[in-house]
Amino acid sequence: MEADEDRRRVAAHIEWQKQGAWTVLWGAYTRRYWAFARWPLPPGGAVVSAPDPDALYAEMRHAEREHGYLQWRHRNRG
C-alpha cells in the first residue's frame, strides 16, 4: 500500500510539471502510470501509459509531437 501512495505522489508531481496539459494517475490495479492529454485533440484524445515515470515521459513526448502540443501551447501563451 505504501508503494502505491508513493507512486500516486510521483504521478501528481509529473502532472504538476506538465502544467495542466496532462492528467496523470497511478493505476493500482494495472500497476502502470496513465496520462490523459488535456489540450484540444481530435476525437478519441490521447492516452498513454507506462510501467515507470521515465517511460511515461517518453510516451507523453511522443504523443505531444504526434498531436501538435507545442504549436498549441506556444500559440496559447498570450
Side-chain angles (χ1 to χ4, degrees):
M1 289 288 192
E2 192 171 312
D4 283 336
E5 193 56 40
D6 291 342
R7 289 180 177 105
R8 284 187 193 99
R9 280 194 282 276
V10 169
H13 181 75
I14 295 169
E15 184 173 322
W16 173 80
Q17 284 183 317
K18 288 298 193 169
Q19 303 175 2
W22 293 87
T23 296
V24 181
L25 308 167
W26 166 251
Y29 178 74
T30 61
R31 314 305 297 165
R32 295 178 72 82
Y33 290 93
W34 293 85
F36 301 82
R38 296 183 58 201
W39 69 91
L41 291 161
V47 178
V48 297
S49 73
D52 61 74
D54 291 335
L56 184 68
Y57 277 117
E59 291 294 326
M60 293 164 82
R61 284 190 302 272
H62 176 76
E64 289 170 354
R65 284 190 304 271
E66 183 178 340
H67 295 289
Y69 168 74
L70 289 177
Q71 291 86 358
W72 173 81
R73 186 67 166 190
H74 292 296
R75 190 171 44 241
N76 291 295
R77 283 215 170 187

Coordinates of all heavy atoms in Angstrom, one line a residue:
M1 N 0.8 -1.2 0.0 CA 0.0 0.0 0.0 C 0.9 1.3 0.0 O 0.6 2.2 -0.7 CB -0.9 0.0 1.2 CG -2.0 -1.0 1.1 SD -3.2 -0.4 -0.1 CE -4.5 -1.5 0.3
E2 N 1.9 1.3 0.8 CA 2.8 2.5 0.9 C 3.4 2.7 -0.5 O 3.5 3.9 -0.9 CB 3.8 2.3 1.9 CG 4.6 3.5 2.3 CD 5.5 3.4 3.5 OE1 5.0 2.9 4.5 OE2 6.6 3.8 3.4
A3 N 3.8 1.7 -1.2 CA 4.4 1.9 -2.5 C 3.4 2.6 -3.5 O 3.8 3.4 -4.3 CB 4.9 0.6 -3.1
D4 N 2.1 2.2 -3.4 CA 1.1 2.8 -4.2 C 1.0 4.3 -3.9 O 0.9 5.1 -4.8 CB -0.3 2.1 -4.0 CG -0.4 0.8 -4.7 OD1 0.4 0.6 -5.7 OD2 -1.2 0.0 -4.3
E5 N 1.0 4.6 -2.6 CA 0.9 6.1 -2.2 C 2.1 6.8 -2.8 O 2.0 8.0 -3.3 CB 0.8 6.2 -0.7 CG 0.4 7.6 -0.3 CD -0.9 8.1 -0.9 OE1 -1.8 7.3 -1.0 OE2 -0.9 9.3 -1.3
D6 N 3.3 6.2 -2.7 CA 4.5 6.9 -3.3 C 4.3 7.1 -4.8 O 4.7 8.2 -5.3 CB 5.7 6.0 -3.0 CG 6.2 6.0 -1.6 OD1 5.7 6.9 -0.8 OD2 6.9 5.1 -1.2
R7 N 3.8 6.1 -5.5 CA 3.6 6.2 -6.9 C 2.5 7.3 -7.2 O 2.6 8.0 -8.2 CB 3.3 4.9 -7.5 CG 4.5 4.0 -7.5 CD 4.2 2.6 -8.1 NE 5.4 1.8 -8.1 CZ 5.7 0.8 -7.3 NH1 4.8 0.5 -6.3 NH2 6.8 0.1 -7.4
R8 N 1.5 7.4 -6.4 CA 0.5 8.4 -6.6 C 1.1 9.8 -6.5 O 0.8 10.7 -7.2 CB -0.6 8.3 -5.6 CG -1.6 7.2 -5.9 CD -2.8 7.2 -5.0 NE -3.5 6.0 -5.2 CZ -3.4 4.9 -4.4 NH1 -2.7 4.9 -3.3 NH2 -4.1 3.8 -4.6
R9 N 2.1 10.0 -5.5 CA 2.8 11.2 -5.4 C 3.6 11.5 -6.6 O 3.7 12.7 -7.0 CB 3.6 11.2 -4.1 CG 2.8 11.5 -2.8 CD 3.7 11.8 -1.7 NE 4.3 10.6 -1.1 CZ 3.7 9.9 -0.2 NH1 2.5 10.2 0.2 NH2 4.3 8.8 0.3
V10 N 4.3 10.5 -7.1 CA 5.1 10.7 -8.3 C 4.2 11.1 -9.5 O 4.5 12.1 -10.2 CB 5.8 9.4 -8.7 CG1 6.4 9.5 -10.1 CG2 6.9 9.1 -7.7
A11 N 3.0 10.5 -9.6 CA 2.1 10.9 -10.7 C 1.6 12.3 -10.5 O 1.6 13.1 -11.5 CB 0.8 9.9 -10.6
A12 N 1.3 12.7 -9.3 CA 0.9 14.1 -9.0 C 2.1 15.1 -9.4 O 1.8 16.2 -9.9 CB 0.5 14.3 -7.6
H13 N 3.3 14.7 -9.1 CA 4.4 15.6 -9.5 C 4.6 15.7 -11.0 O 4.8 16.8 -11.5 CB 5.7 15.0 -8.8 CG 6.9 15.8 -9.1 ND1 7.1 17.0 -8.5 CD2 7.9 15.7 -10.0 CE1 8.3 17.6 -9.0 NE2 8.8 16.8 -9.9
I14 N 4.4 14.6 -11.7 CA 4.5 14.6 -13.2 C 3.4 15.6 -13.7 O 3.7 16.4 -14.6 CB 4.4 13.2 -13.8 CG1 5.6 12.4 -13.4 CG2 4.3 13.3 -15.3 CD1 5.5 10.9 -13.7
E15 N 2.2 15.4 -13.2 CA 1.1 16.3 -13.6 C 1.4 17.7 -13.3 O 1.2 18.6 -14.2 CB -0.2 15.9 -12.9 CG -1.4 16.7 -13.4 CD -2.7 16.1 -12.8 OE1 -2.8 14.9 -12.6 OE2 -3.5 17.0 -12.5
W16 N 2.0 18.0 -12.2 CA 2.4 19.4 -11.8 C 3.4 19.9 -12.8 O 3.3 21.1 -13.3 CB 2.9 19.4 -10.4 CG 3.5 20.8 -10.0 CD1 2.8 21.9 -9.6 CD2 4.9 21.1 -10.0 NE1 3.7 22.9 -9.4 CE2 5.0 22.4 -9.6 CE3 6.0 20.4 -10.3 CZ2 6.2 23.1 -9.5 CZ3 7.3 21.0 -10.2 CH2 7.3 22.3 -9.8
Q17 N 4.4 19.1 -13.1 CA 5.5 19.5 -14.1 C 4.9 19.8 -15.4 O 5.4 20.7 -16.1 CB 6.5 18.4 -14.2 CG 7.5 18.3 -13.1 CD 8.5 17.3 -13.3 OE1 8.2 16.2 -13.8 NE2 9.8 17.6 -13.0
K18 N 3.9 19.1 -15.9 CA 3.3 19.3 -17.2 C 2.3 20.5 -17.2 O 1.7 20.7 -18.2 CB 2.6 18.0 -17.7 CG 3.6 17.0 -18.0 CD 4.5 17.5 -19.2 CE 5.3 16.4 -19.8 NZ 5.9 16.8 -21.1
Q19 N 2.1 21.2 -16.1 CA 1.4 22.4 -16.0 C 0.0 22.3 -16.6 O -0.5 23.2 -17.4 CB 2.1 23.6 -16.7 CG 3.5 23.8 -16.2 CD 4.3 24.8 -17.0 OE1 3.8 25.4 -17.9 NE2 5.5 25.0 -16.6
G20 N -0.8 21.3 -16.3 CA -2.2 21.2 -16.7 C -2.4 20.6 -18.0 O -3.5 20.5 -18.5
A21 N -1.4 20.3 -18.8 CA -1.5 19.7 -20.1 C -1.9 18.3 -20.1 O -2.5 17.7 -21.1 CB -0.3 19.9 -21.0
W22 N -1.6 17.6 -19.0 CA -1.9 16.2 -18.8 C -2.5 16.0 -17.4 O -2.2 16.6 -16.5 CB -0.7 15.3 -18.9 CG 0.0 15.3 -20.2 CD1 0.9 16.2 -20.7 CD2 -0.2 14.3 -21.2 NE1 1.3 15.8 -21.9 CE2 0.7 14.7 -22.3 CE3 -1.0 13.2 -21.4 CZ2 0.7 13.9 -23.5 CZ3 -0.9 12.5 -22.5 CH2 0.0 12.8 -23.6
T23 N -3.5 15.0 -17.4 CA -3.9 14.4 -16.1 C -3.2 13.1 -15.9 O -3.2 12.3 -16.8 CB -5.4 14.2 -16.1 OG1 -6.1 15.5 -16.2 CG2 -5.9 13.5 -14.8
V24 N -2.5 12.9 -14.8 CA -1.6 11.8 -14.6 C -2.0 11.0 -13.4 O -2.2 11.6 -12.3 CB -0.1 12.2 -14.5 CG1 0.8 11.0 -14.3 CG2 0.3 13.0 -15.7
L25 N -2.2 9.7 -13.5 CA -2.6 8.9 -12.4 C -1.7 7.6 -12.3 O -1.1 7.2 -13.3 CB -4.1 8.4 -12.7 CG -5.1 9.4 -13.0 CD1 -6.3 8.7 -13.6 CD2 -5.4 10.2 -11.8
W26 N -1.7 7.1 -11.1 CA -1.1 5.7 -10.9 C -2.3 4.7 -10.8 O -3.2 4.9 -10.1 CB -0.3 5.7 -9.6 CG 0.0 4.3 -9.2 CD1 -0.5 3.7 -8.1 CD2 0.9 3.4 -9.8 NE1 0.1 2.4 -8.0 CE2 0.9 2.2 -9.1 CE3 1.7 3.5 -11.0 CZ2 1.7 1.1 -9.4 CZ3 2.5 2.4 -11.3 CH2 2.5 1.2 -10.6
G27 N -2.2 3.7 -11.6 CA -3.2 2.6 -11.6 C -2.8 1.5 -10.7 O -1.9 0.7 -11.0
A28 N -3.4 1.5 -9.5 CA -3.0 0.4 -8.5 C -3.3 -1.0 -9.0 O -2.6 -1.9 -8.7 CB -3.7 0.7 -7.2
Y29 N -4.4 -1.1 -9.8 CA -4.7 -2.4 -10.3 C -3.8 -2.8 -11.5 O -3.3 -3.9 -11.6 CB -6.2 -2.5 -10.8 CG -6.6 -3.8 -11.4 CD1 -6.8 -4.9 -10.6 CD2 -6.8 -3.9 -12.7 CE1 -7.1 -6.1 -11.1 CE2 -7.1 -5.1 -13.3 CZ -7.3 -6.2 -12.5 OH -7.6 -7.4 -13.0
T30 N -3.6 -1.8 -12.4 CA -2.8 -2.1 -13.7 C -1.3 -2.0 -13.4 O -0.6 -2.5 -14.2 CB -3.2 -1.1 -14.8 OG1 -2.8 0.3 -14.3 CG2 -4.6 -1.1 -15.2
R31 N -1.0 -1.4 -12.3 CA 0.5 -1.2 -11.9 C 1.2 -0.4 -13.0 O 2.3 -0.7 -13.3 CB 1.2 -2.6 -11.7 CG 0.5 -3.6 -10.8 CD 0.1 -3.1 -9.5 NE 1.2 -2.8 -8.6 CZ 1.1 -2.0 -7.5 NH1 0.0 -1.6 -7.1 NH2 2.2 -1.8 -6.8
R32 N 0.5 0.6 -13.5 CA 1.1 1.5 -14.6 C 0.7 2.9 -14.3 O -0.3 3.2 -13.6 CB 0.5 1.1 -15.9 CG 0.9 -0.3 -16.4 CD 0.3 -0.6 -17.8 NE 0.9 0.1 -18.8 CZ 2.0 -0.2 -19.5 NH1 2.7 -1.3 -19.1 NH2 2.5 0.5 -20.5
Y33 N 1.5 3.8 -14.8 CA 1.2 5.2 -14.8 C 0.3 5.5 -16.0 O 0.6 4.9 -17.1 CB 2.4 6.1 -14.8 CG 3.2 6.0 -13.5 CD1 4.3 5.1 -13.4 CD2 2.9 6.9 -12.5 CE1 5.0 5.1 -12.2 CE2 3.7 6.9 -11.3 CZ 4.7 5.9 -11.2 OH 5.4 5.9 -10.0
W34 N -0.7 6.3 -15.9 CA -1.5 6.7 -17.0 C -1.6 8.2 -17.1 O -1.6 8.9 -16.1 CB -3.0 6.2 -16.8 CG -3.1 4.7 -16.8 CD1 -2.8 3.9 -15.7 CD2 -3.4 3.9 -17.9 NE1 -3.0 2.6 -16.1 CE2 -3.3 2.6 -17.4 CE3 -3.7 4.2 -19.2 CZ2 -3.6 1.5 -18.3 CZ3 -4.0 3.1 -20.0 CH2 -3.9 1.8 -19.6
A35 N -1.5 8.7 -18.4 CA -1.6 10.1 -18.6 C -2.6 10.4 -19.7 O -2.6 9.7 -20.8 CB -0.2 10.7 -19.1
F36 N -3.5 11.4 -19.5 CA -4.6 11.7 -20.4 C -4.4 13.2 -20.8 O -4.3 14.1 -20.0 CB -5.9 11.6 -19.6 CG -6.2 10.3 -19.1 CD1 -5.7 9.8 -17.9 CD2 -7.0 9.4 -19.8 CE1 -6.0 8.6 -17.4 CE2 -7.3 8.1 -19.3 CZ -6.8 7.7 -18.1
A37 N -4.2 13.4 -22.1 CA -3.9 14.7 -22.7 C -5.1 15.6 -22.4 O -6.3 15.2 -22.6 CB -3.6 14.6 -24.1
R38 N -4.9 16.9 -22.1 CA -5.9 17.8 -21.8 C -6.0 19.0 -22.8 O -6.8 19.9 -22.6 CB -5.8 18.3 -20.4 CG -5.9 17.2 -19.4 CD -5.8 17.7 -18.0 NE -6.9 18.7 -17.7 CZ -6.8 19.6 -16.7 NH1 -5.8 19.6 -15.9 NH2 -7.8 20.4 -16.6
W39 N -5.1 19.0 -23.8 CA -5.2 20.1 -24.7 C -6.1 19.7 -25.8 O -6.5 18.5 -25.9 CB -3.8 20.5 -25.3 CG -3.1 19.5 -26.1 CD1 -3.2 19.5 -27.5 CD2 -2.3 18.4 -25.7 NE1 -2.5 18.4 -27.9 CE2 -1.9 17.8 -26.9 CE3 -1.9 18.0 -24.5 CZ2 -1.1 16.6 -26.9 CZ3 -1.1 16.9 -24.5 CH2 -0.7 16.2 -25.6
P40 N -6.6 20.6 -26.7 CA -7.6 20.2 -27.7 C -7.0 19.2 -28.7 O -5.9 19.4 -29.3 CB -7.8 21.5 -28.5 CG -7.5 22.6 -27.5 CD -6.4 22.1 -26.7
L41 N -7.7 18.1 -28.8 CA -7.3 17.0 -29.6 C -8.4 16.5 -30.5 O -9.6 16.7 -30.2 CB -6.8 15.8 -28.8 CG -5.5 16.0 -28.0 CD1 -5.4 15.1 -26.9 CD2 -4.3 15.9 -28.9
P42 N -8.1 15.7 -31.5 CA -9.2 15.1 -32.3 C -10.0 14.1 -31.4 O -9.6 13.7 -30.4 CB -8.5 14.3 -33.4 CG -7.1 14.7 -33.3 CD -6.8 15.4 -32.0
P43 N -11.2 13.7 -31.9 CA -12.0 12.7 -31.1 C -11.1 11.5 -30.8 O -10.3 11.0 -31.5 CB -13.1 12.3 -32.1 CG -13.3 13.5 -33.0 CD -11.8 14.1 -33.1
G44 N -11.3 11.1 -29.6 CA -10.5 9.9 -29.1 C -9.4 10.4 -28.2 O -8.9 9.6 -27.4
G45 N -8.9 11.6 -28.3 CA -7.9 12.2 -27.5 C -6.6 11.4 -27.5 O -6.3 10.7 -28.5
A46 N -5.8 11.5 -26.5 CA -4.5 10.8 -26.4 C -4.4 10.3 -24.9 O -4.5 11.1 -24.0 CB -3.4 11.7 -26.7
V47 N -4.2 9.0 -24.8 CA -4.0 8.4 -23.5 C -2.8 7.5 -23.7 O -2.7 6.8 -24.6 CB -5.2 7.5 -23.1 CG1 -4.9 6.9 -21.7 CG2 -6.5 8.4 -23.0
V48 N -1.8 7.7 -22.7 CA -0.6 6.9 -22.8 C -0.4 6.2 -21.4 O -0.9 6.7 -20.4 CB 0.6 7.7 -23.2 CG1 0.5 8.2 -24.6 CG2 0.9 8.8 -22.2
S49 N 0.3 5.1 -21.4 CA 0.6 4.5 -20.1 C 2.0 3.9 -20.2 O 2.5 3.6 -21.3 CB -0.4 3.4 -19.7 OG -0.3 2.3 -20.6
A50 N 2.6 3.7 -19.0 CA 3.9 3.1 -18.9 C 4.1 2.5 -17.5 O 3.5 3.0 -16.5 CB 5.0 4.1 -19.2
P51 N 5.0 1.6 -17.3 CA 5.2 1.0 -16.0 C 6.1 1.8 -15.1 O 6.1 1.6 -13.9 CB 6.0 -0.3 -16.3 CG 6.6 -0.1 -17.6 CD 5.7 0.9 -18.4
D52 N 6.8 2.9 -15.6 CA 7.6 3.7 -14.8 C 7.6 5.1 -15.3 O 7.2 5.4 -16.4 CB 9.1 3.1 -14.7 CG 9.7 3.1 -16.0 OD1 10.1 4.2 -16.5 OD2 9.9 2.0 -16.6
P53 N 8.0 6.1 -14.5 CA 8.0 7.5 -14.8 C 8.8 7.8 -16.1 O 8.3 8.6 -16.9 CB 8.5 8.2 -13.6 CG 8.2 7.3 -12.5 CD 8.4 5.9 -13.0
D54 N 10.0 7.3 -16.2 CA 10.8 7.6 -17.4 C 10.1 7.2 -18.7 O 10.1 7.9 -19.7 CB 12.2 6.9 -17.3 CG 13.0 7.6 -16.2 OD1 12.8 8.7 -15.9 OD2 13.9 6.9 -15.7
A55 N 9.6 6.0 -18.7 CA 8.8 5.5 -19.9 C 7.6 6.3 -20.1 O 7.2 6.6 -21.3 CB 8.5 4.0 -19.7
L56 N 6.9 6.8 -19.1 CA 5.7 7.6 -19.2 C 6.1 8.9 -19.9 O 5.4 9.4 -20.8 CB 5.0 7.9 -17.9 CG 3.7 8.6 -18.0 CD1 2.7 7.8 -18.7 CD2 3.2 9.1 -16.7
Y57 N 7.2 9.6 -19.4 CA 7.6 10.8 -20.0 C 7.9 10.6 -21.5 O 7.5 11.5 -22.3 CB 8.9 11.4 -19.4 CG 8.7 12.1 -18.1 CD1 9.1 11.7 -16.9 CD2 8.0 13.4 -18.1 CE1 9.0 12.4 -15.7 CE2 7.8 14.1 -17.0 CZ 8.3 13.6 -15.8 OH 8.1 14.3 -14.6
A58 N 8.5 9.5 -21.9 CA 8.8 9.2 -23.3 C 7.5 9.1 -24.1 O 7.4 9.6 -25.2 CB 9.7 8.0 -23.4
E59 N 6.5 8.4 -23.5 CA 5.3 8.2 -24.2 C 4.5 9.6 -24.4 O 3.9 9.9 -25.4 CB 4.4 7.2 -23.5 CG 4.9 5.8 -23.5 CD 4.8 5.2 -24.9 OE1 3.9 5.6 -25.7 OE2 5.7 4.4 -25.2
M60 N 4.6 10.4 -23.3 CA 4.0 11.7 -23.4 C 4.6 12.6 -24.4 O 3.9 13.3 -25.2 CB 4.0 12.4 -22.0 CG 3.2 11.6 -20.9 SD 3.6 12.1 -19.2 CE 2.7 13.6 -19.1
R61 N 5.9 12.6 -24.5 CA 6.6 13.4 -25.5 C 6.2 12.9 -26.9 O 6.0 13.8 -27.8 CB 8.1 13.3 -25.3 CG 8.6 14.2 -24.2 CD 10.1 14.3 -24.1 NE 10.8 13.0 -24.0 CZ 11.1 12.4 -22.9 NH1 10.8 12.9 -21.7 NH2 11.7 11.2 -22.9
H62 N 6.1 11.6 -27.1 CA 5.7 11.1 -28.4 C 4.3 11.6 -28.8 O 4.1 12.1 -29.9 CB 5.8 9.6 -28.4 CG 5.3 9.0 -29.7 ND1 6.1 8.9 -30.8 CD2 4.1 8.4 -30.0 CE1 5.4 8.4 -31.8 NE2 4.2 8.0 -31.3
A63 N 3.4 11.5 -27.8 CA 2.0 12.0 -28.1 C 2.0 13.5 -28.3 O 1.3 14.0 -29.2 CB 1.1 11.6 -26.9
E64 N 2.8 14.2 -27.6 CA 2.9 15.7 -27.8 C 3.3 16.0 -29.2 O 2.8 16.9 -29.9 CB 3.8 16.3 -26.8 CG 3.2 16.3 -25.4 CD 4.2 16.7 -24.3 OE1 5.4 16.9 -24.6 OE2 3.7 16.8 -23.1
R65 N 4.4 15.3 -29.7 CA 4.8 15.5 -31.1 C 3.8 15.1 -32.1 O 3.5 15.8 -33.1 CB 6.1 14.8 -31.3 CG 7.4 15.4 -30.7 CD 8.6 14.8 -31.2 NE 8.7 13.3 -30.9 CZ 9.1 12.7 -29.8 NH1 9.5 13.4 -28.8 NH2 9.1 11.4 -29.7
E66 N 3.2 14.0 -31.9 CA 2.2 13.5 -32.8 C 0.9 14.3 -32.9 O 0.4 14.5 -34.0 CB 1.8 12.1 -32.4 CG 0.8 11.4 -33.3 CD 0.4 10.0 -32.8 OE1 1.2 9.4 -32.0 OE2 -0.6 9.5 -33.2
H67 N 0.6 15.0 -31.8 CA -0.7 15.8 -31.8 C -0.5 17.3 -31.8 O -1.4 18.0 -31.4 CB -1.6 15.3 -30.6 CG -2.0 13.9 -30.8 ND1 -3.0 13.5 -31.7 CD2 -1.6 12.8 -30.1 CE1 -3.2 12.2 -31.5 NE2 -2.4 11.7 -30.6
G68 N 0.7 17.8 -32.1 CA 0.9 19.2 -32.2 C 0.8 20.0 -30.9 O 0.4 21.2 -30.9
Y69 N 1.2 19.4 -29.8 CA 1.1 20.1 -28.5 C 1.9 21.4 -28.5 O 1.4 22.4 -28.0 CB 1.6 19.1 -27.4 CG 1.7 19.8 -26.1 CD1 0.6 20.2 -25.3 CD2 3.0 20.1 -25.6 CE1 0.8 20.9 -24.1 CE2 3.2 20.8 -24.4 CZ 2.1 21.2 -23.7 OH 2.2 21.9 -22.5
L70 N 3.2 21.3 -28.9 CA 4.0 22.5 -28.8 C 3.4 23.7 -29.6 O 3.4 24.8 -29.1 CB 5.4 22.2 -29.2 CG 6.2 21.3 -28.2 CD1 7.6 21.1 -28.8 CD2 6.3 22.0 -26.9
Q71 N 2.9 23.4 -30.8 CA 2.3 24.5 -31.5 C 1.1 25.1 -30.8 O 0.9 26.3 -30.7 CB 1.8 24.0 -32.9 CG 2.9 23.7 -33.9 CD 3.4 22.2 -33.7 OE1 2.9 21.5 -32.8 NE2 4.4 21.8 -34.5
W72 N 0.3 24.2 -30.2 CA -0.9 24.7 -29.5 C -0.4 25.5 -28.2 O -0.9 26.6 -28.0 CB -1.8 23.5 -29.0 CG -2.9 23.9 -28.1 CD1 -4.0 24.5 -28.4 CD2 -2.8 23.9 -26.7 NE1 -4.8 24.8 -27.3 CE2 -4.0 24.4 -26.2 CE3 -1.9 23.4 -25.7 CZ2 -4.4 24.5 -24.9 CZ3 -2.2 23.5 -24.4 CH2 -3.4 24.1 -24.0
R73 N 0.5 25.0 -27.5 CA 1.0 25.6 -26.2 C 1.6 27.0 -26.5 O 1.3 28.0 -25.8 CB 2.0 24.7 -25.6 CG 2.5 25.2 -24.2 CD 1.3 25.1 -23.3 NE 1.8 25.3 -21.9 CZ 1.1 25.0 -20.9 NH1 -0.2 24.7 -21.0 NH2 1.6 25.2 -19.7
H74 N 2.4 27.1 -27.5 CA 3.0 28.4 -27.8 C 2.0 29.4 -28.4 O 2.1 30.6 -28.1 CB 4.2 28.2 -28.8 CG 5.4 27.5 -28.1 ND1 6.0 28.0 -27.0 CD2 5.9 26.3 -28.4 CE1 7.0 27.2 -26.7 NE2 6.9 26.1 -27.5
R75 N 1.0 28.9 -29.1 CA 0.0 29.8 -29.6 C -0.9 30.3 -28.5 O -1.5 31.4 -28.6 CB -0.8 29.0 -30.7 CG -1.8 29.8 -31.5 CD -2.4 29.0 -32.6 NE -2.9 27.7 -32.2 CZ -2.4 26.5 -32.7 NH1 -1.5 26.5 -33.7 NH2 -2.9 25.4 -32.3
N76 N -1.0 29.6 -27.4 CA -2.0 30.0 -26.4 C -1.3 30.5 -25.1 O -1.8 30.4 -24.0 CB -2.8 28.8 -26.0 CG -3.8 28.4 -27.1 OD1 -4.6 29.2 -27.4 ND2 -3.6 27.3 -27.8
R77 N -0.1 31.0 -25.2 CA 0.6 31.5 -24.0 C 0.2 33.0 -23.7 O 0.6 33.5 -22.7 CB 2.1 31.4 -24.3 CG 2.6 30.0 -24.0 CD 3.9 30.0 -23.4 NE 4.2 28.7 -23.0 CZ 5.2 28.3 -22.3 NH1 6.1 29.2 -22.0 NH2 5.4 27.1 -22.0
G78 N -0.4 33.7 -24.7 CA -0.9 35.0 -24.6 C -0.5 35.8 -23.4 O -0.4 36.7 -23.0

